[in-house]
Amino acid sequence: MHAAAPNGPEPAARVVAIEVGAPAESRLPWRAAAPVLAPASLVVAAAVLAQRFVRGLVALRVLDNLHWTVSYTAAAALAWIGVRHASAEDRTPRRWLAAGLTGYAIGQVLWDVQVAAGWNPFPGPSDAFYLLLGPCVTVGLVTALRARATRSAILAAAIDGAGLSIAVLILTLALYLPLRGQSSILQMSVLVAYPLGMLGAACIAALLVPTLRLRPAFGWVTFLAALWVNGAVWMEWNARTLANRLEDGTLYNASFSGLALLLGLGAMAWQPASSRDPRWERRFDAALRLLPLLVVMGASAAVIVAFTFPAVPPVVKDATAYGSVAVVTLALLRQSILLHERDRMLEAERRFRSLFDSAQDAILLMDGRRFVDCNPSAERMFGMSRDAICRSTPVGLSPERQPDGRLSSEAAPERISAALAGESQFFRWRHQRPDGSTFEAEVSLDCVELPSGRALQAAVRDVTERVDSEATRRRLEDQLRHASRLEAVGRLAGGVAHDFNNVLTVILGTTELALTRVGADPRLERDLAEIRRSAQRAASLTAQLLAFSRKQVIAPVPSDLNALIGGALVMLRRLIGEDVELAFEPGADLGTVLVDPTQVEQVLVNLAVNARDAMPDGGRLQIATAPADLDAADCAGRPGARPGRYVRLTVRDTGTGVPEPLIPHVFEPFFTTKEFGRGTGLGLATVHGIVHQSGGFIELASTPGSGACFTIHLPVREASSGAVAPVAPVAAPAPPAPAAHPRAPGRAHILLVEDEDMVRDLARRALTDLGFFVLAAASGAQAIELAADAGTRVDLLLTDVIMPTMSGRQLFEQLARQRPGLRVVYMSGYTDNVIAPHGVLEPGTPFIQKPFTLDALAAALDGALDSVARAAA
């Protein structure tokens, strides 16, 4: 009980709750009662046996009174022990019970004094204390009733108690007074008061049972039985005494002593506890409805006795008649209250039924095992009639398992048991309709009190749409976070690639310039060639970063995807090796897609390499195409998807597959599951960037051990007058011979604008070696200043795109207004949507991608200058 709590003070609080809420029977003070009960029982038994079997001794006559005194004194002591151990709620009623028994014990002590003194009048001082037992017990019971019952229940109990008391009174008068003999009115009143006080208290105690719905308990059952038997034995003893028919009172005396001890035990353990069993509820209500009839029957019996037996005094007949009228009046008043209660219950039931039937949520009532009633909303929600639902159980309207994996047959009884114990339940539950469809619901399960008894009420609200919307919201939030993370990485990659491309441009250009001047030293030429190859590999790496960040410049053309894939099959077979089977299943009626053929080839290469690495022992790589029409429902949850016609490209392998937790990360840059040094982690990121830059989207489905399937959707662009014409790459694939690039007459004048000093210096040197006149500027403002001189000749503007203050396009537009016919060639490490919306070149836009070779630079300039010459001709 005092073990250390592992998680703070909560377990200790729980222990206290268990101790405080323990049943009353487990806290009866039997140890304190034993020293009182045991000696008293022995004294009573010894005295009774001695009086029964050993007669004639004067000393034994003393025992006849002594065991009464001992029994009632012990009963009072037991009652006060109960007071000391009672709860605050029960302490006041128990004090009254103990006070009544204490008064009787005092009266018995006075009786012994009177007997010892030889002065024994009737009535005497002791009788005044005897008569305290009934009234004190009655007050204590009424106090308990007022503390536990409602006002209407107290009023009904008061009427029932008054009628029952009057009926007992007149019945007692009718039975006793004809037998009075020579007894005076005072003596008869005292004789009647003995049993009447205890029977009146017994009547109140009996009324507590149905009014408070008491469940059987040792305390109140013992006390109630002892009161009734004690009153009945007193009536029998008085009747025999008045009729001079009492020859031996030993058994009566023993009965009084034994009943006194039972009264003490009952008072010590007396603690009423309500029962909410529906079966007992109905029985209690029936008893309260029958009680007025029983009271009237008792009064009628008293009238019959009073007016039938001879020698009944007129005063008895009058009292019986008036008492009967009072009983009948109280019975009619009680019946009116019962009728009012019935009307109120009917009105409450009508209101309940109205609310029950009009509720939008499904409401079902059950008896703990199966449903007994439901409202129309439940019929609509479950797709069943009321009769069918009432033949079902909670488990019968549920799938085998709940979303958390628990069996419905295990989880449902736990919830029901907790609700029956008084713990309100609120939980998420999955239900199943007869057609097999399921729906998510929020269930509120409570134990309610109905006129027919206790029941469980289940309020069911269909939250399927809310659950779906929450799942969609969570999925969209995850996608947004994923997209934001990729966008941030893309921005970083694009910025790094831009700056790195400037460095690579200087390295690659300087190396090419050095190669033209290397002379006859083969070793130096070999070293410079290796530097150029390394720079080109680095340029390829930055190109992948740009592709991922969707800042790479592409030249899309209307293409037949089947033809592009077919042209790449030979290369793909060499790439994946002979131990991997390659199969292509072209679809029919695909339509035309607007893609950059070089980028499509790169997508296929990256996916093929990824599949080859996933099949180290060989396998099968399958490529397939098919048309696809996607509607809004198909596009939901697919970032980048729009309703329309698509070409579906599927690349499936039989490799090791990808674990489900890793699938959301496979398109992230630098994410790889390969060993260190075997991959850069940019292959799938590049594929992702190319596909999205082409207007499509890509998905991965995979199961570990069963391979992976990449599905790419590319939008169909119908060939029309608005179709984009094919655009050839600007950079020449091979260095041209000097004679192949004629210069403009009188050597062309180039205005070079580049904010990076190293790149500007390299470009100026390269252009000079190519035979151009060069004006170099570090910014757009400086270039405008140089071109402002009317005597300055400018044939072509070669400008970087991304510069501080003024972009390359803005510079060209401003200079073109001053110098009509001015040609331009743009150069940049990435587009940033300045010259090419979404990285897609507009037709006729001259552009050279950094890092570039000197041959590519010469080709771009010659192409632009040749167009001037053709326009002049």
Side-chain angles (χ1 to χ4, degrees), residues 773-796:
F773 287 113
V774 181
L775 292 175
S779 64
Q782 187 178 359
I784 292 174
E785 184 179 349
L786 291 175
D789 188 354
T792 302
R793 176 182 170 186
V794 178
D795 298 316
L796 183 141

Side-chain angles (χ1 to χ4, degrees), residues 641-672:
R642 298 291 185 272
R645 294 186 58 202
Y646 285 82
V647 174
R648 181 187 297 120
L649 169 60
T650 304
V651 180
R652 187 189 307 272
D653 64 63
T654 59
T656 56
V658 180
E660 184 176 355
L662 300 183
I663 291 179
H665 304 286
V666 295
F667 297 115
E668 296 178 359
F670 308 112
F671 177 83
T672 180

Side-chain angles (χ1 to χ4, degrees), residues 480-606:
L480 179 60
R481 283 192 294 268
H482 182 68
S484 299
R485 185 168 62 250
L486 291 182
E487 181 66 22
V489 175
R491 289 179 179 273
L492 175 62
V496 170
H498 173 264
D499 295 338
F500 195 45
N501 276 339
N502 285 331
V503 177
L504 289 176
T505 299
V506 175
I507 295 173
L508 193 57
T510 304
T511 303
E512 290 188 343
L513 288 176
L515 281 172
T516 61
R517 301 180 176 89
V518 70
D521 188 346
R523 291 178 300 177
L524 182 56
E525 183 179 2
R526 186 170 56 252
D527 292 341
L528 291 173
E530 184 61 32
I531 293 173
R532 181 173 61 181
R533 282 193 294 271
S534 298
Q536 289 171 341
R537 285 196 295 272
S540 175
L541 182 62
T542 59
Q544 293 185 62
L545 286 174
L546 288 172
F548 159 72
S549 62
R550 282 175 273 171
K551 296 183 181 298
Q552 187 180 35
V553 178
I554 63 174
V557 294
S559 304
D560 181 351
L561 191 58
N562 286 338
L564 294 178
I565 297 174
L569 289 179
V570 175
M571 176 188 62
L572 294 178
R573 285 193 175 94
R574 289 198 303 265
L575 187 65
I576 62 178
E578 296 180 354
D579 57 347
V580 176
E581 178 187 355
L582 177 62
F584 175 45
E585 299 179 1
D589 301 325
L590 298 183
T592 302
V593 292
L594 193 63
V595 294
D596 187 328
T598 304
Q599 299 298 321
V600 172
E601 183 178 296
Q602 186 174 0
V603 167
L604 294 173
V605 167
N606 287 347

